[in-house]
Amino acid sequence: MLNTSYTKHFLRLNASPGRGSLAHVSVWLLAIMLTWVPTARAQDSTIRSIQNIFDPLSAPAETIYQTSLLVLAVCAGIFLIVAGLLTYAIIRYRRRGPEDDHEEPPQVYGSAAIELAWTVPPILIVVMLVLVTARTIGEIQHPKLPESAENIRVIGHRFWWELRYPKHGVVTANEIHVPLSDRKKRIPTQMVLESADVIHGFWVPQLNGKTMLVPNYRNTMWIEPYATGIYLGNCTVLCGEQHANMLIRVIVDPPAVYKKWLESQRQPPPPPSDPQAVEGQKQFIANACGTCHTIQNTAANGVFGPDLTHFSSRATLGSGMAPNDDKNLRSWLQDPQVLKPGCRMPDMHLTKDQIDVVLAYLRTLK
Ligand code: CUA
C-alpha cells in the first residue's frame, strides 16, 4: 500500500528506537533529564505513523470509526446469513445419484411470506444505515465548536503546505502545530482548506477523513486530537511529480506548549550577528531567494515558496521529505532537484562559499 518514497520517509523519520533496546532506554533517560532543564521543550515526539482509520485519536475520526464498525457489523451479519444458507443448500441438496436428475425442487412462486422476508428486512437495514450515516455526516460537517476552537488556514501548493494562524498572526509551512484537546475542556482546531494551484487532498487518517483542497473554493474540516505526538498524513489527490512527497505532519502539543510555540513563531528571529550569517543574509537577498520566500523583518517577501522566518525550528525539509539537518540542507541549497525532483524550486547555481554562508544564515532562523 505504501509507495517506496513514503516507506523511506517512514524509515528516516520514524526511527523511534525499538522497545527494550539500549537506544530506547537511553532516549528515555535523556528525555527525563531534559524535562528538568527549564528551557527544554515538552513536545511529545512520538510518531503516530499508523495510516489506519481503525485507530482514531481525534473526534471526527472516532465518529467515522464508530459508524464504519456498525456498517461492517451489519454487512458481516448479512454475509454470514447468506453464505451460511448457501453452504447449507449446496451440501443438503447436492446431487446424490442419477435418480436426482429427474426430480425438481418444490416450486414456491407467489409465496407472500418469503417475498416479505427478503424485501422488508433489507429495506429496514438500508434505512437504518442511511439514518446513522446522515447523523454522522451532520456531526462532522456542521459541528458545534466551542469559542476556544483554534483556526488554521491550510493552503495546498505544489508540493508543500502553507499554514496561516489568523488569530495569532503566524505564518509557517508543512508542520502543523495544533493544541491537544480534552473531552471536558475542548480545544478543537478548525481548518479552512484552500489551494494555490491544483486540487490537493488532506488526509491524516487518525485525525479525520479526507478533505479536498480545491482552487477558488474553501472547504472546511476540523480535528480534535486526544493524544499528543506527531501525526503523519499525505496528499491524497494526484497533483504532479512530487504528489507522493507532499507529506503532512500534524504536531499535537499540550495547550501550554502550543501557546509557547505560537509566541516563538510570532517573534521575528533577531538579525544575524555572526559574520558568516550576516554574509549569508546578504547572499540570500542578492540571489533573489526573497522573491519566492518570506523572512520577516528582511527584504525577502515572496509567497511562492514556504515562509522561512522560523525555518530552523522545523524538523523536516521539503514538506516532510528529509530531516532538516545540515547535510540535507546543503544538498537542497546546491540543487533542490536532487532531494525532491520536480519540486518548484530551481537549482540556483550557488557556489560552495555561498552555500556555506546561506546555510549559516538559515540556521539562525529559529
Ligand atoms: Cu498535492 Cu497530491
Side-chain angles (χ1 to χ4, degrees):
M1 293 264 277
L2 298 167
N3 67 38
T4 33
S5 57
Y6 203 51
T7 315
K8 266 192 278 168
H9 161 76
F10 267 35
L11 295 177
R12 272 200 310 266
L13 299 175
N14 305 344
S16 54
R19 264 169 213 284
S21 70
L22 197 64
H24 184 74
V25 174
S26 52
V27 164
W28 275 107
L29 279 178
L30 188 69
I32 291 165
M33 278 155 63
L34 280 175
T35 51
W36 284 323
V37 182
T39 51
R41 288 161 66 209
Q43 194 193 74
D44 176 3
S45 55
T46 313
I47 298 277
R48 303 194 184 277
S49 61
I50 302 167
Q51 304 288 301
N52 185 351
I53 63 159
F54 296 106
D55 189 13
L57 287 168
S58 158
E62 231 171 43
T63 316
I64 295 170
Y65 166 70
Q66 284 155 1
T67 306
S68 56
L69 276 195
L70 175 78
V71 174
L72 276 176
V74 169
C75 292
I78 294 172
F79 172 79
L80 287 178
I81 291 170
V82 172
L85 287 175
L86 191 65
T87 312
Y88 172 77
I90 287 171
I91 295 170
R92 174 75 178 78
Y93 301 106
R94 70 184 184 280
R95 182 177 180 273
R96 286 161 208 267
E99 69 278 9
D100 287 349
D101 289 350
H102 309 291
E103 221 181 299
E104 269 203 341
Q107 303 298 301
V108 285
Y109 291 124
S111 158
I114 292 178
E115 301 264 338
L116 283 175
W118 65 47
T119 47
V120 176
I123 289 171
L124 291 179
I125 290 170
V126 169
V127 168
M128 187 265 288
L129 289 180
V130 165
L131 291 178
V132 171
T133 311
R135 195 185 66 183
T136 304
I137 293 173
E139 272 175 24
I140 293 172
Q141 292 197 340
H142 308 285
K144 287 188 199 83
L145 298 182
E147 281 287 297
S148 55
E150 274 296 331
N151 290 297
I152 304 179
R153 263 178 80 197
V154 179
I155 303 155
H157 291 255
R158 295 205 281 176
F159 301 96
W160 60 282
W161 306 92
E162 177 183 343
L163 309 166
R164 292 176 174 267
Y165 294 68
K167 267 198 210 169
H168 310 283
V170 166
V171 181
T172 179
N174 301 328
E175 298 182 2
I176 311 175
H177 284 253
V178 299
L180 177 72
S181 189
D182 191 297
R183 285 173 210 270
K184 285 178 205 128
K185 215 174 141 242
R186 299 178 61 199
I187 319 178
T189 300
Q190 177 157 52
M191 293 179 177
V192 176
L193 303 172
E194 298 160 59
S195 170
D197 36 49
V198 298
I199 299 177
H200 301 275
F202 187 98
W203 195 25
V204 183
Q206 287 184 293
L207 298 179
N208 197 347
K210 288 176 200 173
T211 309
M212 295 231 187
L213 296 88
V214 183
N216 300 317
Y217 189 78
R218 285 186 170 181
N219 265 330
T220 57
M221 64 165 268
W222 59 286
I223 56 172
E224 192 175 347
Y226 297 129
T228 55
I230 302 170
Y231 294 72
L232 300 187
N234 208 341
C235 180
T236 54
V237 180
L238 181 63
C239 52
E241 304 94 311
Q242 282 296 329
H243 152 70
N245 290 316
M246 211 175 141
L247 304 166
I248 305 168
R249 289 166 83 81
V250 177
I251 298 147
V252 178
D253 294 325
V257 178
Y258 173 70
K259 232 182 218 162
K260 236 191 228 168
W261 176 82
L262 280 176
E263 261 158 46
S264 72
Q265 295 287 309
R266 223 177 351 226
Q267 308 283 339
S273 51
D274 169 70
Q276 242 205 335
V278 172
E279 178 57 26
Q281 189 182 41
K282 266 189 217 150
Q283 290 296 336
F284 187 91
I285 302 296
N287 283 282
C289 307
T291 51
C292 283
H293 295 286
T294 291
I295 296 175
Q296 273 174 49
N297 279 5
T298 72
N301 60 0
V303 291
F304 190 70
D307 186 299
L308 300 179
T309 307
H310 295 280
F311 168 75
S312 285
S313 72
R314 305 205 278 263
T316 60
L317 264 186
S319 200
M321 263 241 71
N324 186 1
D325 58 26
D326 287 354
K327 185 174 157 274
N328 288 328
L329 181 54
R330 192 171 290 280
S331 156
W332 189 276
L333 290 171
Q334 205 161 32
D335 184 1
Q337 301 298 323
V338 171
L339 266 178
K340 198 163 180 173
C343 78
R344 290 300 183 258
M345 179 166 160
D347 179 356
M348 300 302 286
H349 300 288
L350 300 179
T351 65
K352 197 192 159 291
D353 292 345
Q354 284 172 326
I355 291 173
D356 284 343
V357 292
V358 170
L359 191 143
Y361 171 53
L362 291 177
R363 283 298 174 236
T364 66
L365 306 175
K366 291 244 165 85

